[in-house]
Amino acid sequence: MPDSGYTRLCTLDVLEENIPRRFEVEGVAVTLVLTEQQVFAIHDTCSHSAVSLSEGEVDDCSIECWLHASRFDLRTGKPLDPPATRPVPVYPVRIDGGNVYVCVTGEG
């Protein structure tokens, strides 16, 4: 079991390569993405237009907001394309025993 502050979201086998999946963690909307042999957790809401990033497309370790086509780096949350100019939070992920854990509290 990972350190305190981590919440189990799912098993690794429910994630599909490059298909975003939305979860709620302690009242925070989080998108999980399995890509490039890693699992990334990013805040589910676009910083430009308050729409769900889990409805966007994944490419080259980035996720695209479907509304205005801003892309965000899954590793850092930084916007890669306008119109978004502010990053979205990313969260640490741990895999343990085939389970995916995410920390949204800053304790991870």
Side-chain angles (χ1 to χ4, degrees):
M1 170 81 126
D3 300 332
S4 66
Y6 281 82
T7 301
R8 180 188 176 281
L9 295 188
C10 63
T11 57
L12 190 56
D13 62 355
V14 303
L15 299 178
E16 298 177 60
E17 184 81 16
N18 296 325
I19 304 295
R21 189 125 184 231
R22 185 181 189 275
F23 294 87
E24 287 278 331
V25 183
E26 299 180 31
V28 177
V30 174
T31 296
L32 287 185
V33 178
L34 170 65
T35 189
E36 299 182 1
Q37 303 298 315
Q38 291 186 325
V39 177
F40 297 95
I42 189 166
H43 193 72
D44 188 54
T45 306
C46 176
S47 63
H48 169 256
S49 190
V51 297
S52 178
L53 290 178
S54 64
E55 297 175 16
E57 293 188 19
V58 174
D59 185 43
D60 288 334
C61 212
S62 69
I63 191 164
E64 181 179 86
C65 176
W66 61 269
L67 188 59
H68 296 114
S70 289
R71 288 182 309 128
F72 296 89
D73 188 308
L74 289 168
R75 297 165 291 224
T76 65
K78 292 182 180 175
L80 302 172
D81 300 305
T85 58
R86 291 177 293 123
V88 294
V90 294
Y91 307 104
V93 174
R94 297 225 175 128
I95 309 297
D96 184 36
N99 293 300
V100 180
Y101 296 84
V102 173
C103 179
V104 297
T105 63
E107 296 172 18

